[in-house]
């Protein structure tokens, strides 16, 4: 098969997306953790909001992942 | 109490049976996943044959060893039936269906291994003089051995725990053991276990002669491996669309007739006698473990029955599994709510607990509107949860790993959200909301800018909802499939055993599946709450 730049681009793109998401998730969780430690009585609310936020951040990686799968046929 | 708990008695049989059932289920999960469909079926068949045999034996023993021994013709008949039954089932599974002998034997001997290990463990415990802290030494166990124990337990008679009725030893407790029990532990324990061993294994030595004319049993195992775990590694171009042929919503191949092709070659090639239909081998990569329908097809082919009628089911297999989950959940809900009592049974208690927890969770977001939307959101949550977990059960498949399913769910959520807005806010309020809820002249001036943005935002909600769920679940399933075959692909010699590299990821997948179901529902809840007058004000 001929060389295809997608072969490099897809994994690297997914990796970059994961890198960004990882940083974002780390920030979100660390803030939520310190908030929970500071106010244990609000753990429930913080947790819910944290999960929603995590879902939004994580979705970015998932988009990249889905793109990889869609473009995989063109490799 | 301690002397009886260590003796060989009928409660011991019950525990052996339960341990074997548990081990058999877990073992079959393993074998199905790593070694292949046929091996898994072989394991299941072996364990089932062994267990049926064992239960029959248990039934006979309880009849014989009760205080008034019942040695009527029924017991004799059962004893006579036992051996031919064993032989016929072994012949059927190994001779007719051609299940791999190795895995059949392993499944069959599982029970024996349990007996040996349990006996050894007891002997060891007795030898070391340890006090057994077996939870079954509770009331249930004492009830089971009361006949043998004499007066020692009379003090406990008044306090049978409520759980004793549910205890697995139920059938043997009723009959009691009577005077015939072997009171002395130790040597007699091992003798009894040995006797059991031989009684169970009657007819087993005949197996090699039955299977001698099938030298290809090893062959089936190998083929099985290739097809089951051909998984995802041999990606070839556009073939990769053919398996999820009805999954057009996201690719540019919607013009092609993949559906027809799917139905067509799916079954055109099945008659060629490979006997390897653990997966859709002619469809390029398979990104998941073989599921129930593959097994059914395989069995039908072994029997020689036509399988062409299964083509439409294969075409709509996601719908099939969705409906399966729906039926399961609906059935559980119907059963749980049909006989409601003040003191709930197990199922009712579980369902009440789930509903109550979920209600409290949603009430934190929706407040007074919770009751209106709880049925929808609860159904959504448990339905998605069930579908996510279905892919982790051998024989199951996650319908949510396909964009069609998740997009449908997201569109339903979208419609519910918009209709909620239309009803709760009124058409005017709804438009006002879509215009970005302007309040001052500056806001009104920005409406031409905000309206398209909000519209795109509304459309993006179902897209992101569906893609998130789809991507997560598909990624999960693919990850599991890949890790299951990681070593067997590179080191084919390991193929006969299988390397369970994906086991740690099963736990991750269990967790992530639940969280994704929760996230989907949570976001739906939030979207609804934004359309409610109350949530709307809170936004500012």
């Amino acid at each position: 098969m001929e060389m295809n730049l997608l072969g490099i681009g897809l994994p690297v793109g997914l990796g970059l997306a994961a890198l960004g998401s990882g940083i974002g998730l780390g920030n979100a969780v660390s803030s939520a953790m310190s908030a929970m430690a500071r106010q244990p009585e609000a753990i429930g609310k913080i947790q819910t909001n944290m999960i929603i936020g995590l879902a939004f951040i994580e979705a970015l990686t998932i988009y990249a992942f889905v793109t990889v799968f869609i473009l995989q046929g063109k490799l | 109490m301690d002397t009886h708990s260590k003796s060989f008695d009928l409660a011991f049989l019950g525990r052996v049976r339960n341990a074997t059932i548990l081990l058999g289920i877990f073992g079959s999960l393993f074998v199905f996943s790593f070694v292949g469909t046929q091996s898994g079926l072989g394991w299941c068949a072996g364990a089932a044959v062994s267990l049926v045999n064992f239960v029959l034996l248990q039934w006979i023993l309880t009849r014989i060893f009760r205080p008034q021994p019942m040695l009527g013709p029924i017991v004799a008949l059962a004893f006579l039936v036992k051996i031919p039954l064993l032989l016929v089932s072994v012949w059927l599974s190994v001779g007719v269906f051609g299940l791999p002998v190795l895995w059949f034997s392993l499944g069959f001997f599982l029970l024996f291994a349990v007996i040996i290990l349990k006996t050894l463990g007891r002997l060891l415990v007795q030898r070391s003089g340890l006090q057994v802290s077996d939870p079954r030494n509770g009331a249930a166990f004492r009830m089971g051995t009361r006949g043998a124990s004499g007066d020692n337990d009379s003090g406990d008679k008044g306090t049978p725990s409520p759980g004793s009725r549910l205890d697995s030893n139920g059938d043997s407790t009723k009959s009691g053991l009577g005077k015939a029990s072997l009171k002395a532990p130790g040597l007699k324990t091992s003798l009894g276990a040995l006797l059991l061993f031989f009684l169970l294994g009657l007819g087993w030595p005949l197996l090699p002669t039955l299977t001698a004319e099938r030298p290809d049993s090893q062959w089936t195992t190998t083929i099985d491996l290739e097809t089951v775990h051909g998984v995802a590694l041999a990606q070839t171009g556009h073939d990769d669309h053919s398996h999820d042929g009805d999954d057009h919503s996201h690719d540019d191949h919607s013009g092609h007739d993949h559906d027809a092709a799917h139905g067509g070659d799916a079954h055109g090639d099945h008659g060629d006698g490979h006997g390897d239909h653990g997966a859709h081998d002619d469809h390029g990569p398979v990104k998941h473990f073989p599921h129930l329908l593959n097994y059914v097809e395989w069995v039908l082919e072994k029997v020689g029955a036509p399988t062409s009628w299964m083509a439409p089911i294969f075409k709509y297999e996601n719908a099939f599994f969705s409906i399966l989950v729906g039926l399961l959940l609906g059935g559980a809900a119907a059963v749980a709510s049909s006989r409601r009592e003040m003191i709930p049974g197990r199922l009712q208690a579980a369902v009440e607990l789930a509903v109550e927890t979920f209600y409290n969770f949603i009430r934190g977001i929706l407040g007074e509107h919770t009751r209106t939307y709880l049925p929808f959101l609860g159904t959504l949550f448990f339905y998605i949860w069930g579908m996510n977990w279905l892919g982790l059960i051998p024989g199951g498949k996650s319908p949510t790993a396909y964009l069609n399913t998740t997009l449908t769910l997201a569109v339903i959520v979208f419609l519910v959200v918009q209709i909620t807005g239309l009803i709760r806010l009124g058409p005017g309020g709804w438009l006002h909301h879509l215009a970005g809820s302007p309040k001052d002249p500056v806001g009104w001036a920005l409406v031409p800018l905000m309206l398209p943005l909000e519209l795109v935002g509304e459309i993006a909600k179902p897209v992101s909802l569906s893609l998130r769920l789809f991507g997560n679940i598909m990624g999960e399933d693919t990850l599991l499939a890949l890790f299951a075959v990681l070593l067997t692909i590179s080191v084919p010699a390991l193929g006969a055993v299988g390397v369970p590299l994906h086991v740690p990821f099963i736990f991750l997948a269990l967790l992530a599946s639940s969280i994704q179901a929760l996230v989907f529902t949570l976001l739906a809840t939030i979207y609804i709450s934004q359309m409610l007058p109350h949530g709307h004000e809170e936004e500012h």
Side-chain angles (χ1 to χ4, degrees):
Chain A
M1 282 188 79
E2 75 222 41
M3 281 294 288
N4 196 336
L5 273 183
L6 273 179
I8 302 173
L10 291 182
V12 169
L14 185 54
L16 281 177
L19 178 73
S21 282
I23 295 172
L25 289 172
N27 271 336
V29 174
S30 86
S31 306
M33 285 289 164
S34 39
M36 283 183 211
R38 210 169 287 169
Q39 278 196 312
E41 68 274 8
I43 278 183
K45 276 196 164 183
I46 296 173
Q47 230 163 17
T48 312
N49 288 327
M50 181 186 78
I51 289 175
I52 297 169
L54 294 189
F56 279 122
I57 301 170
E58 187 210 35
L60 300 175
T61 317
I62 298 296
Y63 296 155
F65 180 72
V66 171
T67 315
V68 167
F69 262 87
I70 290 170
L71 291 180
Q72 208 177 19
K74 298 189 174 162
L75 268 180
Chain B
M1 164 181 128
D2 283 326
T3 49
H4 324 300
S5 67
K6 286 168 189 168
S7 65
F8 172 73
D9 48 36
L10 290 181
F12 178 72
L13 294 187
R15 283 204 309 279
V16 165
R17 188 195 57 205
N18 292 324
T20 313
I21 290 175
L22 209 64
L23 274 177
I25 291 170
F26 281 117
S28 69
L29 201 143
F30 260 67
V31 179
F32 265 122
S33 309
F34 299 120
V35 189
T37 324
Q38 288 180 315
S39 314
L41 284 176
W43 171 282
C44 276
V49 166
S50 185
L51 268 174
V52 167
N53 195 26
F54 181 76
V55 170
L56 207 56
L57 185 74
Q58 195 186 10
W59 186 82
I60 294 169
L61 284 184
T62 39
R63 290 299 175 287
I64 294 176
F65 283 133
R66 59 170 47 168
Q68 288 86 30
M70 199 176 86
L71 293 168
I74 304 175
V75 173
L77 190 71
F79 211 74
L80 279 180
V81 162
K82 190 174 102 62
I83 295 162
L85 190 73
L86 179 64
L87 283 179
V88 166
S89 46
V90 168
W91 173 72
L92 260 182
S93 33
V94 178
V96 177
F97 285 105
L99 298 172
V101 182
L102 172 70
W103 293 102
F104 186 84
S105 331
L106 284 179
F108 192 91
F109 281 117
L110 181 68
L111 185 62
F112 298 69
V114 169
I115 292 176
I116 293 178
L117 286 178
K118 274 204 177 285
T119 314
L120 281 182
R122 280 180 168 217
L123 288 178
L124 208 66
V125 166
Q126 274 172 294
R127 191 59 55 86
S128 62
L130 279 175
Q131 200 70 26
V132 195
S133 60
D134 187 357
R136 285 173 192 266
N137 275 351
F141 187 81
R142 267 170 271 141
M143 275 171 72
T145 51
R146 183 162 296 147
S149 56
D151 296 327
N152 300 355
D153 289 338
S154 53
D156 299 317
K157 270 182 188 169
T159 60
S161 79
S164 62
R165 168 174 60 86
L166 304 166
D167 194 281
S168 45
N169 300 328
D171 44 358
S172 52
T173 54
K174 264 173 247 155
S175 51
L177 195 50
K179 296 153 199 156
S181 81
L182 309 165
K183 277 188 180 174
L187 184 64
K188 281 184 185 170
T189 308
S190 13
L191 274 181
L194 209 63
L195 180 76
L196 198 63
F197 202 91
F198 282 118
L199 276 177
L200 281 168
L202 275 177
W204 183 257
L206 288 172
L207 185 63
T209 55
L210 276 173
T211 56
E213 66 265 23
R214 293 192 60 88
D216 55 350
S217 55
Q218 194 52 48
W219 174 81
T220 45
T221 314
T222 340
I223 290 295
D224 212 20
L225 255 177
E226 281 171 13
T227 52
V228 173
H229 300 319
V231 196
L233 289 179
Q235 304 265 0
T236 48
H238 291 280
D239 281 358
D240 114 286
H241 294 291
S242 56
H243 191 78
D244 37 6
D246 43 353
D247 200 356
H248 291 310
S249 14
H250 69 294
D251 62 30
D252 52 349
H253 293 280
S254 42
H256 297 200
D257 51 349
H258 280 304
D259 283 353
H262 184 85
D265 32 300
H267 302 282
D269 295 313
H270 278 173
D272 54 8
H274 276 140
D276 52 1
H277 292 277
H280 272 218
D281 38 297
D282 299 313
H283 283 256
V286 180
K287 294 201 205 99
H288 56 79
F289 293 116
H291 52 75
L292 196 66
L293 294 174
N294 297 124
Y295 298 147
V296 170
E297 192 190 23
W298 178 81
V299 169
L300 282 182
E301 275 193 3
K302 280 286 161 193
V303 177
T307 53
S308 53
W309 57 271
M310 291 188 76
I313 309 183
F314 271 111
K315 188 174 161 188
Y316 298 112
E317 56 186 11
N318 289 322
F320 173 82
F321 282 104
S322 312
I323 292 170
L324 188 70
V325 172
L327 286 181
L328 279 178
L329 288 178
V335 170
S337 59
S338 62
R339 276 167 291 158
R340 274 182 290 183
E341 285 164 22
M342 272 307 285
I343 301 163
R346 280 183 164 188
L347 183 66
Q348 193 191 339
V351 171
E352 275 179 7
L353 184 71
V355 170
E356 200 179 328
T357 313
F358 196 74
Y359 175 81
N360 287 330
F361 181 69
I362 296 294
R363 201 181 50 186
I365 300 167
L366 286 186
E368 64 200 290
H369 301 286
T370 310
R371 281 193 176 271
T372 319
Y373 295 101
L374 187 72
F376 173 66
L377 294 169
T379 311
L380 202 61
F381 174 69
F382 287 106
Y383 185 47
I384 294 175
W385 200 13
M387 287 199 289
N388 288 351
W389 273 19
L390 192 65
L392 302 175
I393 302 171
K397 179 190 175 192
S398 290
T400 36
Y402 292 83
L403 190 56
N404 292 346
T405 318
T406 59
L407 195 62
T408 313
L409 289 169
V411 166
I412 292 172
V413 169
F414 175 77
L415 290 179
V416 167
V417 168
Q418 300 311 323
I419 291 171
T420 300
L422 272 175
I423 291 173
R424 299 273 166 172
L425 301 173
W430 182 61
L431 283 177
H432 185 253
H433 175 82
L434 281 186
S437 313
K439 278 181 176 171
D440 42 4
V442 182
W444 282 105
L446 283 177
V447 162
L449 190 65
M450 295 303 285
L451 190 63
L453 272 180
E454 289 274 338
L455 281 178
V456 169
E458 288 297 319
I459 302 294
K461 280 175 184 174
V463 173
S464 84
L465 260 187
S466 60
L467 276 185
R468 180 182 298 113
L469 185 59
F470 155 68
N472 266 298
I473 304 303
M474 186 196 58
E476 222 162 62
D477 287 2
T478 315
L479 182 87
L480 287 181
L482 279 176
F483 267 91
V485 297
L486 196 62
L487 268 185
T488 48
I489 292 285
S490 47
V491 190
L494 288 170
V497 209
V499 187
L501 274 184
H502 74 279
V503 170
F505 297 98
I506 288 181
F507 299 105
L508 188 71
L510 280 173
L511 187 68
S513 295
S514 322
I515 291 182
Q516 285 311 317
L518 184 68
V519 162
F520 193 99
T521 320
L522 202 56
L523 287 178
T525 317
I526 300 228
Y527 294 154
I528 288 176
S529 84
Q530 283 177 352
M531 281 296 183
L532 295 174
H534 170 250
H536 188 66
E537 281 156 21
E538 208 178 46
E539 237 177 15
H540 296 280

